[in-house]
Each structure stands twice: as C-alpha cells, then as structure tokens.
Amino acid sequence: MSESPTTDSHTHDHDHDGPIRPEDVDWDERYRTEDQVWSGHVNGSLVDEVADHAPGRALDVGCGEGADAIWLAERGWTVTAVDIAPTAIERGRNEATRRELTVDWIAADLLTDPPAGEFDLVSLQYPAFAIARRDEVTQTLNDALAPGGLLLLVGHAFPEDPDAIPFDPTDWVQPSDVIAALPDGFEVELDEVRPRPGAHHHHAGSPHVEDVVVRIVRR
C-alpha cells in the first residue's frame, strides 16, 4: 500500500468477521470497487528521506495508484513501479501519461516476477505481504538494491489497543521483520518511530498517526 487513504479505509474493513488476513484481500477487487482508493498525495516519509538524494534508478514496491512513483519521476528518478493489482497500475499509468511523465509500470507479484536490474532506491511503503513470505520479501528487496543503494521501509506504528485496528500486525510483514532477516552487507542507518507527516494522513478515526521509518544501505 503506497499512499494514504482518501478516507478511513479501515471503516470498511471492520465489516469483515475477525481480523483481516493477507489471504482475505483481493487487491484488484479493492481497486475495482472504488473510484479512488488512496489520496493521490506522495507519502510524507518518502519525501523526508529522499528529497535531498540525487536521482537514480528507483523501485516503488506496492505502488498503488502511483503517487510516490509520479513524485519520484517528477524529480528526475528513473522509476519502476510494481503492484499486484492491474487496476491500480492502470490508474498510475494514466496519471503519469496525463502529466507527460515516464514510469515503467508493472502489474505483477514482485516476489515471483521481480524486475530486472539493481536500483539506487527501493521504497516499500506500508507493506502488505503475508508474514509467511518474510524471507522471500527480504531476499527480493536485497537482490533489487544496488551497492550503495538505499532501502526505505515505512510501516505503521500500531496503537497499544489491538481492537483499534482490524487486523493482527503479526500476520503481515513489518519493517522489523525485514531487519531481522537481513544478511551481512546491509546496514540499518535509521530505525525510528515518528509522527506521520502530512495533514492528509490524519483523517478522522484513523489510529495511524505515527510511522516506523527504517533506512537500510547496501554496502
């Protein structure tokens, strides 16, 4: 999930019986049933961490409707944007075309069909992978990162009350899970919780007002 919701998306999710599990979610159906799922704003933690970096090759993992990929392309990055939902990819492609920007849009399961080459930036914002695939996720991200490249992981800092969210975080890959599976040669430069930037994120009823921000460099 790459962008902030247009509304409190979890209000809809609470209609589900029991916690939302990865196998419960059909991402393309989620996009098909809503005209716009995410806000269209770039994620603030991506801006904070990347705005001062020289452009290079960037991989946007789980790009959603493409706001982050488009923001990077506007700043001179050569961007590959991947999402499992073809409908989301089509929306991102249409918006990039409207803005006359070039982005390589790929509708695929990143873990079974990763893009070729190495990237100077790999960005994974609010991951939506099942915890059973943790090692696949970590290996795929590691393989995608060029020497000296930056892996940016941003996740939700969850509230203490488990009933405040409609899913069990332990069912889903979190930034801490990727850190735990890192091999030698990858250095964690930053691992902190901080306020989630951007007023558009703080929609009514959302418990997600803080980010876990992890910055990893491949040596």
Side-chain angles (χ1 to χ4, degrees):
M1 295 185 295
S2 181
E3 307 154 54
S4 62
T6 54
T7 60
D8 185 1
S9 62
H10 298 310
T11 300
H12 173 75
D13 291 342
H14 273 301
D15 294 338
H16 188 276
D17 252 346
I20 304 296
R21 300 168 300 172
E23 58 268 29
D24 296 328
V25 183
D26 181 333
W27 285 108
D28 199 54
E29 182 178 0
R30 169 80 184 277
Y31 286 101
R32 292 196 308 268
T33 55
E34 297 185 48
D35 291 337
Q36 182 180 354
V37 173
W38 311 113
S39 69
H41 297 286
V42 61
N43 280 303
S45 291
L46 174 67
V47 175
D48 288 348
E49 293 299 321
V50 174
D52 293 334
H53 276 255
R57 292 193 70 206
L59 174 63
D60 185 2
V61 178
C63 65
E65 290 159 324
D68 287 1
I70 286 169
W71 181 85
L72 289 165
E74 286 176 332
R75 281 147 188 84
W77 291 82
T78 301
V79 184
T80 298
V82 181
D83 200 282
I84 201 167
T87 301
I89 288 293
E90 187 63 22
R91 290 177 185 174
R93 180 183 291 113
N94 290 343
E95 180 62 17
T97 299
R98 186 184 73 81
R99 300 194 194 191
E100 299 183 338
L101 295 169
T102 298
V103 174
D104 185 13
W105 301 97
I106 300 175
D109 180 344
L110 180 81
L111 305 186
T112 58
D113 191 17
E118 295 181 326
F119 296 85
D120 304 296
L121 169 67
V122 176
S123 174
L124 175 53
Q125 306 280 320
Y126 311 105
F129 293 107
I131 190 62
R133 304 186 81 182
R134 182 199 73 166
D135 291 345
E136 291 177 80
V137 171
T138 304
Q139 187 64 55
T140 300
L141 297 177
N142 294 349
D143 290 347
L145 200 62
L150 170 65
L151 170 58
L152 179 63
L153 307 173
V154 179
H156 298 298
F158 295 105
E160 293 183 5
D161 179 6
D163 293 332
I165 55 176
F167 57 93
D168 182 348
T170 63
D171 289 339
W172 304 77
V173 170
Q174 305 299 331
S176 59
D177 298 314
V178 176
I179 290 174
L182 283 174
D184 292 341
F186 292 80
E187 178 183 345
V188 179
E189 288 191 333
L190 177 75
D191 179 7
E192 69 178 25
V193 175
R194 62 195 191 205
R196 191 176 185 184
H200 59 280
H201 292 298
H202 301 164
H203 41 78
S206 173
H208 296 144
V209 297
E210 291 186 316
D211 277 344
V212 177
V213 181
V214 173
R215 191 171 66 230
I216 296 167
V217 174
R218 181 176 185 177
R219 298 302 183 190

